[in-house]
Amino acid sequence: MESLAPNIEVRQTVAQCFHTLSTSTDNKDVIAALQTLSSHLDEGPESKTTPVQRAEFRRAHFTRTLQFLVSNIQADWLHSLTASQRTELWDGLFLRGPPEQALLVLMDGIGELRPSMNLNHLVSITERFLQSGRLAELLWSYCLETGASDSPQLRETLLGRIVALPDLTANRLHPNNRPLFLPQQYYPLLAKEMLTALERTCKALKDGTDCSLMFVAQTLGKLCIQGHSGLVLAVMAPRLSVCTRSDMVLQRVCWKLLENVPQRWMESVLTGLVQAISGHDALGRIIGNLVLTNKKAQFVLTHKLLLLQYKYETQVLRIVLGYLASDRERRPLLLQVLRSVSQAWANPSAVKHTPLEQQLYVSKALLLCVSLLKDSELQELRSELLQCMLGGMQSHLDSSVVRIRHMGMVVGECLSSRMDINGTKLKFEYEQDEETKELLSLMTPFTGDESEPESVNGVSSPQDISGVNPSTQNTSSQNKSGTPSSKTDPDSDLDSDDELTPYDMSGDQKINEASPPRYLRDCLEALISSEDAVRVELSLRVAEGLVRKNVFATREISIQLTKVFLHMEDKYNITGFLTLRQATMVALAVTDCIPVTHYLTTEFYSLNYSLRQRLDILEVLALAAQELSKPITVNRDSSLGVAATTDVTPYPGDNPVHWRQVVEKRIQSKTKRLSKGPTQPPAKATPNRYAPVAGHFFFPLLRNYDKPQMTFDLLGTDHLVLGRLIHTLGLFMHLAVNAPVAAQMGRALLDFVWAVRYHVDQMVRRGVLFAVCSVFLSMPSQNLLVDLSDQLFETRTWLADVAEGDPDADCRNLAVQSLVLLDKSLKKQLQDSQALNLES
């Protein structure tokens, strides 16, 4: 029972402080309660609490205390404190306790609070948390294994908060994010804190204290796998490269750090490290013989970076191969790499089917491997290299690509020179360029391994310590050497252009650096992921043409493209943005009618859409239906052939119809007529593309209008959307004239508008009357009496009432027109029935 006394005492003290802060209105009591909580974090002989009480408070009550403070951040007692009291008593609790608990509470509070001064207060505390070195304390606590808990869930959550802090703050504070939270500043700061933790680990090991690098290794791996290896290793790699020259303990710490990186993150760490490091000696000091003890590291360094990926600079190849060759235990891996690279270079199928850049990359790797071989190793591999040279040269020289042939010639020359076959060397005639010169330079040993400054302090950017590429040195020296010759050229006086007439360039147009996409998928990719305003605008302007031109490609991605345009915003203030967006969506709905129409009508009643987006959906469907309702003509199908011949202007005498039209006009002008009947025959009924799909436009919009899970009140306050919906349905009905589904559409539309015929909004009433007119115009007269006989009397009475008493003049006019249409339809039906009776 005596061991439980401190726990109970601390719990009672914390509970009493919480009660005081929740209920007291006396400022002195509030300050006393905060001072009591802060006393559990005081260290040293002057502390009012015992070490046992402080440990218990940190273990069981610190997180709860911070959560209580955040939940009461709007309390009056907090705002009654002075600025100095708030900084010392309230902010100090976040900056003095266990850093891992404080960081988790701060990030949770930032994620929960709405934009306000309270949120700004928490953000400022988080900023001070980072600037005061608390991240280094956090990492160091896990190196000593003195964290609050060893729970895997806690570590995973903490890792996620540390690594994704810029993303979390950007999502929450995106208009007012702090500069310290930007990736360009946060990740170098985190890298410096990791270096501080490693230095403290070295000191602790020298003093005989055991440490663990597991958490730091997990942090490094997670940073690299999420794409931040460039910013982090640009700070860590130069510093470690310099410090490991003289500190053997730090070398062992680095080896252990890399060994503890989880396997799933090992590749990202190694690829980032070989790009940030300056030489193979530094790489060897940092990772040691990791390639021999870790299968994942061996696969990455001996296979993936050399044969599967080819995006890296030549310096990366020098570092990786130099690392394998610099140690006696690692040299067998160099011979293994040479065999695999030579087989890949000599493979005829690879020469034909792999990209030219990859073949150049493999050629560089092969020459670097050969240049690093010792004479004894060269004699051991002589037969294999000779077979590779003969087979690979034959495959390269048989290629029709000039660059591939040149690669084969250069590699063949270098291999024969290195092997010295019977004192004979191959020599080919080819035009030397930058590529061939670089390949030839790879056979000379590279002496400029490292260029780090001796000073350890002040390493902050990769530009200060990056290695020098020999190819750039050669190029710059050649340019410098070639400059004087160009100045002293004796023929320069003969090239004067003073007597030439200047060319008129007033009509020239400026060519954009970015070219518009030619394929629909490239257009979609640019609209989704590009942040370049010019590229987005070009993609937006050509999207409609690409959709109408590439019908099959459009049908593959029509839904995805429609979704992008429906959610697209004018972020770059593009001229005519709304028109271009609407035209492209109409083209999609016309080209791939049924899937796109189904998607739009479904999204009209979906959640999380604004009223503007729902109105856009109705406008797009209405325009698409109007375009589909146009008559199908032969010219529409042969538009491509006509467009292809518009560049050639036909000669008038070549047109056989031309002279006949002229003669016909002369005869008509000189002919006298006593009476003139109709000169044009009546319009013929022609098929269109809308009639077969009219139901896909119409019926889905009537499906969910009265369901309560919508985010907008269609039958309540959103009169604008309801009126536009009824107008659109009336337009669909009007365009469906003579369609087989017109009768079903008419019955459904009358049932829908009957419930809102007395709506208070005049726009809705106009839409109802327009829909009724469309029904009377589009439905056959015989269907009116057969299908709507029960409703015609009530509809006529209602129309008469509207024509007499509606306060809106447009509604009265529409009601009168509807009555006239209804009477004409009934009269026509009676005449047709009488004619049938007489015939019978």
Side-chain angles (χ1 to χ4, degrees), residues 11 14-15 18 60-69 101 105:
R11 187 184 307 116
V14 172
F18 286 178
H61 302 285
F62 181 68
T63 298
R64 194 159 59 93
T65 300
L66 297 186
Q67 291 173 346
F68 174 81
L69 295 179
Q101 301 181 45
V105 174

Side-chain angles (χ1 to χ4, degrees), residues 345-346 385-395 415 421 426:
W345 184 81
L385 288 177
L386 181 60
Q387 183 179 1
C388 161
M389 182 185 70
L390 296 178
M393 283 178 54
Q394 183 66 34
S395 302
L415 292 179
I421 307 172
L426 294 177

Side-chain angles (χ1 to χ4, degrees), residues 42 91 115 220 330 379 405 447 489 503 519 536 551 710 734 838:
D42 294 336
D91 301 357
L220 177 61
R330 298 193 294 263
Q379 293 298 325
R405 294 201 299 270
T447 56
D489 189 0
Y503 186 76
Y519 299 95
V536 172
V551 178
M710 298 181 301
H734 175 66
L838 291 175

Side-chain angles (χ1 to χ4, degrees), residues 187-257:
Y187 290 117
L189 173 64
L190 179 56
K192 293 178 182 178
E193 305 290 50
M194 294 171 66
L195 287 172
T196 302
L198 293 179
E199 291 174 358
R200 296 178 69 174
T201 301
C202 291
K203 294 180 181 179
L205 291 176
K206 293 176 182 178
D207 295 337
T209 303
D210 293 336
C211 297
S212 172
L213 294 173
M214 182 64 70
F215 187 78
V216 181
Q218 291 175 351
T219 304
L220 177 61
K222 199 172 185 67
L223 284 169
C224 293
I225 196 63
Q226 292 191 3
H228 309 300
S229 59
L231 293 172
V232 173
L233 294 175
V235 176
M236 295 186 66
R239 183 78 173 272
L240 295 176
S241 177
V242 174
C243 294
T244 51
R245 290 179 178 179
S246 56
D247 194 341
M248 298 298 107
V249 177
L250 183 59
Q251 281 192 24
R252 298 296 300 270
V253 168
C254 292
W255 298 353
K256 194 65 177 178
L257 176 69

Side-chain angles (χ1 to χ4, degrees), residues 10 27 190 192 314 374 381 470 523 578 663 687:
V10 172
N27 196 26
L190 179 56
K192 293 178 182 178
T314 308
K374 298 179 181 179
L381 299 174
C523 178
L578 296 177
V663 173

Side-chain angles (χ1 to χ4, degrees), residues 263-282:
Q263 291 295 310
R264 61 185 183 277
W265 299 334
M266 179 65 71
E267 178 182 347
S268 301
V269 175
L270 289 178
T271 53
L273 186 59
V274 296
Q275 294 178 81
I277 208 71
S278 60
H280 59 83
D281 288 337

